Amino acid sequence: MAEISDVYFIDGMRTPFGRAGEKGMYWNTRADDLVVKTIRGVIERNPDVPLDRIDDVAIAATTQEGDQGLTLGRTAAILAGLPQSVPGFAIDRMCAGAMTSVTTMAGSIGMGMYDLALAGGVEHMGRHPLGGGDTDPNPRFLTEKLVSPDALNMGITAERLHDRFPALTKERADRFGMRSQHKAQAAYDAGKLQPDLVPVAVTSADGAWGLATEDEGRRPETTMAGLAQLKTPFRPHGRVTAGTSSPLTDGATMSLLAGSRAVTELGLTPKMRLVSFAFAGVQPEVMGIGPIPSTEKALARAGLSIDDIGLFELNEAFAVQVLSLLDHFGISDDDERVNAWGGAIAVGHPLAASGVRLMIQLAAQFAERPDVRYGLTAMCVGLGQGGSVIWENPHYTGKKKTKK
């Protein structure tokens, strides 16, 4: 008989993230092949997991067509060499696609229906730019003024946050963007991110082979003076620039989840335990504030307060979006708990893949921080949504971090 179960994040890996477009390293690489690489990476790093025991594979993509269509979870499972008894499906919640893959599988595991699951996401924004697919928005959105005509222009929604909250100045956003670049490079220099990256064989336009081993879009040389000179593409004399926005990115992520029974039976070592999660809706025109209500809901469901969160992994769709959440909860811009190893402004944001990147990065920090009990992964989502997941650190000792 099925029993209610805890849900554990056993492991996660991702491809290096590449610049979208013809000059990006994945221009000649299929989206589904990126997913396959992450599945193979995770199962090869966890050889004690019987592949025929995997109950399902959930893969998210925002634009589900071409090489990231066709019930991607199932096709990727077959391509990755999983037993044909393993089913799979595709999922879409725009930027929170992979996050929703995880929470959907977590629901099945928590109810005792599943023991093991793979959950992740992919976005090849070079092949499938946001809004470039065969979509047909219902005309009622505009005729009945349900949403603004530019609600799907994420840059304009970011500009509106600057409008709504005057304290969120361009200077603060520039400084946050610069710090993201510097922290990401420091993490690379210290070897923090590389262990969870799956190398990907790539080909150039002239057929030469290469190996993608690092995130392609980092700009560690970023300075405040340089950011001040950038154009504001979404509005004349605006405040959002390329330096305070996540770049268009290609990449894939994957996680292995398990319930209590599988952890005990297979001798697995969890990296995190899921405590609670929540999604929330806001006005599409200011979608960047979405993580505020979703985090409040997740905290309430966990019986926690924001002060209980020792590490934050917040998706940097735009700097102003993260700053709005920090201001709401009274957290300083340079709080060391927030995106300690940099974020999407530096490494990229392949839409539906990014939720699991946040989890991978949080899990790696948990291993180094036994003084931290709880961490948060959160992100804004297109069409006015937010998603938040609270995790518990299995390495927690209760001892405070000693200052050097």
Side-chain angles (χ1 to χ4, degrees), residues 157 161 282-284 286-292 321-322 324 380-381 385:
T157 68
L161 290 190
V282 297
Q283 289 177 291
V286 286
M287 65 95 193
I289 64 172
I292 294 173
Q321 170 261 313
V322 178
S324 68
C380 61
V381 190
Q385 302 179 82

Side-chain angles (χ1 to χ4, degrees), residues 173-209:
D174 283 354
R175 194 171 301 280
F176 187 89
M178 179 185 70
R179 287 197 186 109
S180 180
Q181 296 284 0
H182 294 175
K183 288 190 288 187
Q185 188 58 46
Y188 259 96
D189 292 343
K192 304 290 189 184
L193 302 181
Q194 294 92 322
D196 295 318
L197 301 182
V198 180
V200 179
V202 295
T203 57
S204 65
D206 58 8
W209 285 93

Side-chain angles (χ1 to χ4, degrees), residues 97-348:
M99 178 176 282
T100 306
S101 295
V102 168
T103 57
T104 300
M105 293 294 91
S108 296
I109 292 171
M111 285 296 294
M113 299 296 108
Y114 289 179
D115 288 321
L116 295 161
L118 290 167
V122 64
E123 211 72 56
H124 200 308
M125 299 183 75
R127 290 174 178 263
H128 310 287
L130 179 62
D134 186 21
T135 58
D136 181 19
N138 194 298
R140 289 181 52 223
F141 280 121
L142 300 184
T143 58
E144 298 181 21
K145 298 182 179 180
L146 299 176
V147 298
S148 169
D150 54 21
L152 268 178
N153 186 316
M154 302 306 172
I156 291 178
T157 68
E159 288 283 8
R160 288 200 177 107
L161 290 190
H162 281 292
D163 296 340
R164 179 172 289 197
F165 305 108
L168 301 179
T169 64
K170 182 179 185 300
E171 181 181 358
R172 285 179 65 188
D174 283 354
R175 194 171 301 280
F176 187 89
M178 179 185 70
R179 287 197 186 109
S180 180
Q181 296 284 0
H182 294 175
K183 288 190 288 187
Q185 188 58 46
Y188 259 96
D189 292 343
K192 304 290 189 184
L193 302 181
Q194 294 92 322
D196 295 318
L197 301 182
V198 180
V200 179
V202 295
T203 57
S204 65
D206 58 8
W209 285 93
L211 193 64
T213 59
E214 294 187 356
D215 297 311
E216 189 177 24
R218 307 192 315 277
R219 296 184 181 275
E221 72 282 1
T222 299
T223 65
M224 288 293 287
L227 291 173
Q229 302 301 314
L230 295 179
K231 296 179 180 179
T232 58
F234 306 109
R235 179 190 295 175
H237 310 294
R239 285 148 292 192
V240 179
T241 70
T244 55
S245 310
S246 56
L248 301 179
T249 314
D250 304 330
T253 60
M254 190 60 53
S255 66
L256 172 65
L257 308 173
S260 302
R261 180 171 54 193
V263 167
T264 300
E265 179 186 344
L266 301 175
L268 305 178
T269 303
K271 293 185 174 181
M272 302 192 292
R273 184 182 74 87
L274 195 150
V275 177
S276 70
F277 67 86
F279 295 92
V282 297
Q283 289 177 291
E285 294 80 6
V286 286
M287 65 95 193
I289 64 172
I292 294 173
S294 64
T295 296
E296 290 177 330
K297 288 171 69 173
L299 287 168
R301 289 170 178 171
L304 300 173
S305 75
I306 199 68
D307 295 331
D308 293 311
I309 304 301
L311 288 169
F312 296 80
E313 279 296 322
L314 308 176
N315 193 45
E316 298 169 359
F318 300 94
V320 68
Q321 170 261 313
V322 178
L323 293 173
S324 68
L325 183 145
L326 298 182
D327 275 12
H328 177 83
F329 288 109
I331 300 169
S332 65
D333 297 3
D334 59 354
D335 193 304
E336 66 176 8
R337 298 174 296 168
V338 178
N339 295 4
W341 295 351
I345 290 173
V347 302

